[in-house]
Amino acid sequence: MITSSNFAKSGKHTDAVAISQGIPEFNPHVKRYMPLAPPRWLLKEKDPELFDREYRKQLDSLDAKQVAEDLGTNAVILCWESFNVRCHRRLVAEWLEEK
């Protein structure tokens, strides 16, 4: 099962996969999966509805089955935001579940 967390909590997990543009200095060797990283221009977007819509377009351009396979069965997808903060990890989780 693919789960999600943030770098502060799970950055050193053995199945951690960063889905962000940047990664923390304390773990420069964390696996990265750039197809799920929002582009920098979108990260600056202040309108959450626009962010969700544009990021969903990015996700829909991918093959969910291939993404899940690439990430691995026990992947922990990571980015910077704290738990329960509006974040693209939630959108990825919903998209994978839906597909």
Side-chain angles (χ1 to χ4, degrees), residues 42-92:
L42 190 54
L43 292 172
K44 296 175 184 177
E45 181 53 54
K46 302 294 184 207
D47 180 349
E49 289 180 15
L50 178 61
F51 179 93
D52 288 359
R53 186 171 55 249
E54 292 301 315
Y55 188 60
R56 180 60 192 234
K57 287 179 189 177
Q58 177 177 333
L59 295 176
D60 286 340
S61 73
L62 303 172
D63 178 335
K65 185 176 180 179
Q66 185 64 54
V67 169
E69 193 174 298
D70 291 347
L71 291 173
T73 308
N74 298 314
V76 180
I77 56 174
L78 303 177
C79 70
W80 296 93
E81 285 77 25
S82 299
F83 181 70
N84 278 343
V85 172
R86 183 176 180 79
C87 167
H88 70 287
R89 292 186 317 250
R90 172 189 53 83
L91 297 174
V92 171

Side-chain angles (χ1 to χ4, degrees), residues 15-33:
D15 293 313
V17 180
I19 61 167
S20 56
Q21 289 292 331
I23 57 172
E25 290 180 9
F26 68 80
N27 192 358
H29 304 292
V30 67
K31 179 181 173 185
R32 298 178 82 180
Y33 194 76

